[in-house]
Structure formats: structure tokens, C-alpha cells
Amino acid sequence: MSLDLNPEFQRNLWLHLGWQRLVAAATVGLTIAYAILLVSDFDKLSYAANLILVMVLGMWGPRRAADSLAEEVAGGTWEAQRMSGLSAWSMAWGKLIGGCSFVWYCGLLALAVYIFAGFERGFPPGRAGNFWLGIYLVLIGACLAHVVALGVALIRLRKTVQYRRLTITLAQTCGFVVFFVISGIGTAPVFNQPDFVPGTAYVYDSAYSWPMVRAVLGSVFVLWAVAAVYRLMRTELQYRAWPWFWTSFVIFCGALAAGIAPWPGSGPAGATLPVFVVMMALTYLSALADRRDPIRYRSGLLALRQGDYSRALAEIPWWLIAMAGTALAASFAIYVLVSLGSDDWPSSLSELFLRLRLISLDHLAETLVLVLLFMTRDLAILLWLSFGPWRGQSDITWLVYLALVYWPISIIMYFAGYGAYITLVLPVAGDDIVISFAPILIQLVILGVMLRRRWYQATRGGAAA
Amino acid sequence: MVTHLSSGVKLLSLLFRTGGFPLIRMEKAAHSEAGHGLFRRPESGQTDSMLHVENLIFDYPGHRALNDVSLFLERGTITALVGPNGAGKSTLMRLCAALDQPFAGKVYFDGLDVHADPRAAHRRMGFLPDFFGLYDDLTVLQGLTYRAAAQGVPRPQRRSVAERAAERLEIADRLGQKAGTLSRGLRQRLAIAQAVLHEPTFLMLDEPASGLDPSARIGLSTVLRNLARDGMTILVSSHILAELEDYSTHILMLRQGEVVDHAPLTVMGNVTERRVEIRLDFARPVAELRKRLLAVGGIEVLSCGIDDAIVMSDPDPAARADMLAAVIAAGLPLASFAPERRSLQDIYLARMKAAAERPPLRLVGPT
């Protein structure tokens, strides 16, 4: 019985794994390895193989993964594929593995050379503390990098089919960052640190080596990322996108942030802040990733008004879920602050705040409320940009706005001696509650009016929501 | 608020029955809560429709692309989708293909809600967008085989299915050639072959003739006629009206996101609103022809020469038979009596002009 391959995988194999390419890659790779051995030793061969692994799996792989989708869109074959009978799952893994098949072929060649060199050197532990764990980190990091790159490309595709190069570069960068974090480029002796002692991580007060934690987290995040790509692909096929997956991911991230505490043994107080920060990061990221289509929002509102809750749920913006998580985390943090008082916070955390100097330990609860208000303002600005005539540039405009508001302006104000008014641009509560809260509240009111006007302009063509 | 229509006021009902042509009924409905006219949903079993579009609305921010579009496409017809740029033709096709989600409304393909189960619809329909692409580095056979596999054709049958599609589109002699090396016309044929390879019952083509030379266009017309003869229902959008006239059975006109008209081409070609234009040719010049025709009674003369005239008639065949008998009885040397066919371009321009001058009338459906 012949093997019935996934058509998308098969097509990619046709395109990328021609026998000429296979032979050429093997010939070039082995020639380089042999040349290195001739002029040097197995240490240098291991070094070179590791470098090639990073370049091939960590840098080229994410680019290929993103391009497997982007080239379909640019080539005009994407619509035909969306009209085919292929399932979302077949499309996802067919692109992920098939689109990167030549990358994996080259990477596995480099890996074989690396293992061979490792064998000759007695399998040195490297930065992971274990030779084989190091290899696993590279492989799982590469898998995660490729999936993340495809996911970023899918998200970008939902927003715009233009700027193909920008999309690919962004996806590649995200993939490489993920590869960097999970694999640890220096797992093998790229930076010639074979005697490196891995650090210790505390997960729910239990101690593990960081490489092991990265291996487990990398594996778990690969599963999340694959599921996310599958969900995004389903959305491309116009299936309803229920919010359960994203909600589960938000909860998972919250639990993870609470578990991997930077201040071990600090109890709920130490766990609160990381959860809040992670939720906030998810809110900003999901807002950036969302299409922010006013028509879709109106459709959701209309469904809600009509009592069509399933459709309303399917249309709910993801950032709203993360924002709810942020509000919950902030509420819990404020409760902890009120019940414990800031004196009972972990000393290392208190020291951090003292070092920052801007944040008063006496007003941490107020500061958290301010952070929520500032986040609301930022999101309102993003929506205002997205509902306007230049919605195509809303992402980049918003990022520039964030960079300007939170960095140079606040620094200039601080060093110019206007630290008392820093609350105009930074969510830092001071002694005067009016000066702390009035500016942001005024900003929110003005933005509310502006946003409302933009909303009506964007949706005036249709029924009122 | 946009809802499915629960009530509507019937303003106008035009019945055209010419030689068994389907009935077209047009209604203007009461305003919905949203302030948009909606049209009565046909009763079940009223039509043998392949595609049923119901109160479709699609918005872009600040702009309504499709406004409450309702229509039916009958099985085995070739419908020409025409309209000015920005009328919503491509948007309508993409919604029918479940490539985009409407703001409101439904699209039923052979009874199946395409947005509820897009993949089930895709297995039985084909779509060639205006900007189509091919895998240039794959051979024609590989491209067709891939498409067959992607459409769920069992592995043992893929090659034969691919070869049959290639034969159908007359590219069987190019199976070993890479798609990137094909001419524009052949690429078009390959793209259509991929779209029809799985024997869809419904095919949509968006501007299939753009960029084709005249001979390739003629070839395309032949291909489409052959596909329709094989039982495929086709919706084709094009700006080349003369070409559409060659093979279309129906015409669907869109303007500013609304249906202006939808009827069989043969009906639309000689019917103006309630009446049919009849051309009379006489065996020899007739003195005072107009006066003699008017004397027959019940005849409205639109134009008159010395040996021909165009008159208006009721679309009822019995009325036309009476008119014919009356003209002969008046002793006029009648040589021919036939409905006057106007070119698609004339019809299109007249309908668009009329649509610009009046509130749009929308199709409810043929019976």
C-alpha cells in the first residue's frame, strides 16, 4: 500500500527537495566539514557545526516557515488553497514541515556533524550541562521558532497582504528571538564556554536547572504554538474563532508567571507582580496582533444585542480577554497590597522599587490603578488610529507613539526637574491624588469623545450597532 | 438593525413568461429596522436554485460594498455578472465562495450555508479569482495532481482525473511542461482546469478573460460553453460584454452594491420593463407605414422605416399572436416578425442609466 501524503506536504517536497538540491547540500556541507578537519580539530568542527545549526535552524528556518505562506499570498495561489478541500491541520503542518523541509535537511546534516564531533570530544556537557539536552534545546527551539514565524505571518496576513518582505522579516525576527531564548545559542561552545554552570530556576518553589526548565517550557510552548497556528489557519478558512483557546493560553501564561517567581519564597505578594506584567504584555501584544476591524466589532456588538451569544463570543477581540486578565491580576495585587501592606513585600522587590525611585512604595495600589488607566488610554489610541483613514499604518504609528510617550518624554521631564508631574506621561502615583489621577482621566474623556466620532465614521455605511 | 426580513410590502410584480423562460419577480420591500429595503424570501420549493443569496450585506470601514443583495442562480445556467468598477462583483463572488464573512445575510449553495461549513461548500464549487496564481515550478501534471489531492480525490484516481481535466481544457499536450513557462492563455486554461478538476457543480470565474488575446478569448468561450453543457452552473464576471453575450444565459447587473437586474439574456434582450420589442420586416416598401401600423390598433410604434419597423408588444405570446394576425389581416406584406434583440452592451447601458435614475429594484427570484 502506497503512502498517501498530505498534499500540501507533498507539494512542498516537490518544490524544495529535488535530488539536485539534496546532493548539492550534502556535498557542500561534507566538503566544508572535511576542510575544517584538515586545517583544524574536532573542537573547531563542533564550533562550526553549532554555528551552522544556529544559522540554518534559527535564522533561515523561521524565514522559510513565514515565506511558505507569504509566497502563496504573493503568488496568488493562496485563495485557491483556501478554496481547496484541505483541512486547516493539513495546511498548517504541510507548510510547517514541508516548507522547511530543505532547512531541516541541512540542519540535520549539520547536527550529524556536530554529534560526530561531540563523539570525538567525549560529548562535552556545554552550557546546557548535558550534551544531549543541548541538542534537544536546539531542536525544540527550532521547532518553536518555525511555528512562531508561521503564526506571525498568519497574523500579519489577516491584517494586510501587503508588505511581504516586512512580514517575513518580522516573522523571522520573532522566530529567531524565540530560538535564542529556548535553545540558548551557547548551549554548545559557540562562545567557547564549556565550563558554564547552568543557573537554577524556581518553579512553584521547587528548584530546577534553567536548561531543563527551558526544555520543558519549549516543548509545552511548541504545542501551544502549533495549536495557535491551527486555529489561525481555521480562521483563514472562515471558520468561527471561539475565544476558548486564547483564554486558556492567557490563563496558562498567568499560572506560569505565578509559578516561575523571580522572588522565590515570597508567597502571593511576589507572584502577583509577574502575573500582572505578563497579562499586560499579552494585552498589548494581542491588541497589536488583532485586525481591529470596526465592522467585525460592530458585528459582535450587534450579535450581542440580538442575543446571538455564540456569534458575539466568536467576534470578541482577543485583547479584551487579556485586558480582563490584567484587571483581575491588578485587583488581586491591590488586594494583596491592602491586606499585607507594602512592608511585607519581598525585600528584593522593595529594593527594586526603591532603586527605580519613581515608584513610591506607599502608593503601589494607586500605581496599579494608574497602570490600568494608562493601558486603557493606549488601547483607546490604538483603536482611534485603527478606525481612521490611515488604519493600514495604525500598528507602526502606535508603536512610535508608545516609544515616544514612555521613553524620551518621561526622561526629559524627569531630568528637567518636572518629576512631580511625571504622572502626565507615566503611571506613577504620588502623594497628590489629584495630580496623579486628573491628567489621565482628562485624557480618557477626550479620547472617548474622539473614539466615538471615529467609530461612527467607520461604521456609518451600515446599520447602527 | 439588520435582520432577516419578516415583512415586506410588494410594490411591483413583473411576470415575464416567454417560451418557458423562468419567471422573474421584483419587489421593493418595506424598510428594515436598519433603514434598508429587504426583500421577501422565496417560499421553499419555489425554485431549483444552485445558489441562493439572501439579504447579503458586506461592509468595509466607512463604506458598504454590498447592500442587501438577494438573488438566485438556477442550475445549469451561465450567469454574466456585470457592473461598473466598484459595484461589488468581486466581493459578491468572494462571499459566495466563503472566502470572506458577510456582515449579514446568508449564502446557500445547493441548500448548504457556505459560511457555516465552508469546506463542505469548497469540495463542490470552484472559484477562479481575478488575480490567480500557479505554482510556476511545478509541471502542469504536478499542479493538477496536487489540486486533485487537495480536493480529496483518492490517490489511485488522481492522475486520471488530472489528465481528464487537462484534456477538457485542451492542455493535455503540456503535462510535462512547467507552469511558469506557459503562455497567458494556457496559464488561464490550467487555472480553470484546476478549478474544475474535482467536477464542481458550481463554478465562479472573476474576470477570466482579462489579459487574453482574441483567439484565447474565443477558446475560453468554447471552454465555458462546454463546461455548462456538462451540467456546471457558472457565474462569470467580466467587463467584455460582447464576449459574455456569446455564452451567457443570464445576466446579473450590480451597481453600487445592489442588484440592478437579473434575468435571462434572451428575455432581457427584447424586453423593456413590461413589454417586448418586436421587429417587423416587410417584403417591399410600404407607403405611410407608420400610419398603417397605427391603424391596425393596439400597436405602439417605436421606430419606423419604409420597409421595417420596431413596435412594442405585450410579452404574453397570445398577445403577440393576436398582433401578428392583425398585421397580416391589414394586408401589410409582412416578411418577418421577431423579437428585437439588443446587444448586451445596449442593455447594460440602458439598465445602468435607468438604475441611476430610480430607486433600485431587486430580484426575489425565478420560479
Side-chain angles (χ1 to χ4, degrees), chain A residues 2-4 8 11 72 75-77 79-86 237-239 298 306 311 391 458 462-463, chain B residues 1-2 59 61-62 64 94 97-99 101 103 118-119 122 127 133 135 137 142 146-147 150-151 155 158:
Chain A
S2 58
L3 185 65
D4 197 5
E8 182 57 13
R11 183 186 67 81
E72 297 261 14
T77 51
E79 301 292 34
Q81 202 164 98
R82 291 176 70 205
M83 282 293 293
S84 74
L86 283 173
L237 300 183
Q238 301 300 319
Y239 284 100
R298 185 164 61 109
Q306 290 171 340
R311 189 173 141 208
R391 60 181 61 84
Chain B
M1 184 180 294
V2 178
D59 286 347
R64 176 150 287 184
R94 290 179 62 79
L99 289 174
Q101 284 282 350
F103 177 72
R119 268 335 199 200
H122 292 162
F127 177 48
Y135 297 112
D137 292 329
Q142 280 178 323
Y146 161 71
R147 186 69 180 173
Q151 289 293 358
R155 187 182 175 88
R158 281 176 202 159

Side-chain angles (χ1 to χ4, degrees), chain A residues 199-271:
Chain A
T200 303
Y202 292 91
V203 182
Y204 285 104
D205 294 335
S206 299
Y208 303 94
S209 78
W210 260 115
M212 187 56 77
V213 170
R214 285 207 315 270
V216 173
L217 279 184
S219 307
V220 173
F221 273 111
V222 163
L223 296 179
W224 276 111
V226 168
V229 164
Y230 167 70
R231 300 291 303 178
L232 287 167
M233 202 66 91
R234 269 181 66 86
T235 308
E236 274 301 305
L237 300 183
Q238 301 300 319
Y239 284 100
R240 275 192 177 174
W242 299 109
W244 314 130
F245 175 77
W246 173 247
T247 308
S248 308
F249 183 69
V250 169
I251 293 169
F252 170 78
C253 287
L256 198 63
I260 302 181
W263 305 282
S266 59

Side-chain angles (χ1 to χ4, degrees), chain A residues 135-180:
Chain A
I135 288 177
Y136 181 76
L137 283 171
V138 167
L139 292 177
I140 203 71
C143 287
L144 186 57
H146 298 180
V147 186
V148 165
L150 181 59
V152 171
L154 271 165
I155 286 171
R156 282 280 306 169
L157 173 68
R158 294 183 68 213
K159 292 156 74 78
T160 174
V161 294
Q162 296 171 322
Y163 315 117
R164 179 188 171 194
R165 288 291 134 211
L166 177 66
T167 296
I168 294 173
T169 305
L170 179 70
Q172 183 186 22
T173 307
C174 293
F176 181 68
V177 168
V178 164
F179 179 79
F180 184 91

Side-chain angles (χ1 to χ4, degrees), chain B residues 164-351:
Chain B
R164 190 166 68 241
E167 278 171 24
R168 205 175 194 180
L169 274 295
E170 298 170 5
I171 50 172
D173 55 334
R174 311 281 179 153
L175 285 175
Q177 198 173 330
K178 285 196 172 181
T181 64
L182 296 176
S183 67
R184 180 81 172 85
L186 288 173
R187 286 174 67 81
Q188 194 88 18
R189 281 169 187 254
L190 175 57
I192 296 175
Q194 289 182 351
V196 303
L197 171 143
H198 57 298
E199 301 289 340
T201 51
F202 177 49
L203 175 66
M204 284 177 285
L205 305 165
D206 195 358
E207 300 283 354
S210 65
L212 294 186
D213 61 36
S215 63
R217 280 182 192 167
I218 292 168
L220 179 68
S221 300
T222 309
V223 164
L224 294 183
R225 269 195 295 267
N226 289 342
L227 292 174
R229 198 180 53 215
D230 293 345
M232 216 172 275
T233 305
I234 300 173
L235 177 65
V236 55
S237 141
S238 180
H239 286 296
I240 306 163
L241 300 179
E243 170 216 327
L244 288 172
E245 199 166 12
D246 281 349
Y247 52 77
S248 300
T249 60
H250 288 63
I251 185 164
L252 170 61
M253 291 185 192
L254 280 186
R255 182 179 173 276
Q256 293 179 351
E258 297 188 343
V259 174
V260 171
D261 220 334
H262 181 202
L265 198 57
T266 44
V267 172
M268 205 179 269
N270 57 43
V271 174
T272 304
E273 298 300 330
R274 296 166 184 267
R275 296 175 299 174
V276 183
E277 291 178 12
I278 304 289
R279 181 179 186 84
L280 309 177
D281 287 311
F282 298 95
R284 56 182 180 276
V286 180
E288 297 184 312
L289 179 57
R290 176 184 289 272
K291 195 173 174 183
R292 292 189 64 182
L293 282 172
L294 291 173
V296 170
I299 293 181
E300 181 187 341
V301 181
L302 288 181
S303 65
C304 191
I306 56 171
D307 60 357
D308 64 351
I310 294 177
V311 301
M312 296 300 289
S313 164
D314 192 290
D316 181 5
R320 277 192 280 161
D322 291 344
M323 181 191 283
L324 175 61
V327 172
I328 292 170
L332 291 165
L334 191 63
S336 73
F337 179 97
E340 170 74 348
R341 284 213 61 184
R342 291 184 295 164
S343 75
L344 189 54
Q345 185 164 309
D346 294 338
I347 300 165
Y348 173 79
L349 292 173
R351 287 290 197 274

Side-chain angles (χ1 to χ4, degrees), chain A residues 341-419:
Chain A
S342 54
D343 293 341
D344 292 330
W345 273 50
S347 56
S348 54
L349 191 56
S350 302
E351 284 168 14
L352 176 72
F353 286 134
L354 287 173
R355 208 174 299 153
L356 285 173
R357 288 167 60 180
L358 285 171
I359 304 174
S360 165
L361 277 173
D362 298 331
H363 303 294
L364 276 179
E366 291 91 329
T367 295
L368 284 174
V369 175
L370 272 180
V371 170
L372 280 180
L373 293 175
F374 271 69
M375 189 175 72
T376 307
R377 179 199 66 180
D378 293 341
L379 292 174
I381 286 176
L382 180 61
L383 292 179
W384 182 79
L385 291 168
S386 306
F387 295 168
W390 299 286
R391 60 181 61 84
Q393 284 79 45
S394 57
D395 285 359
I396 191 70
T397 311
W398 190 59
L399 289 174
V400 169
Y401 147 79
L402 288 178
L404 285 176
V405 163
Y406 286 110
W407 186 50
I409 294 179
S410 56
I411 287 176
I412 289 168
M413 284 183 73
Y414 184 75
F415 286 106
Y418 296 103

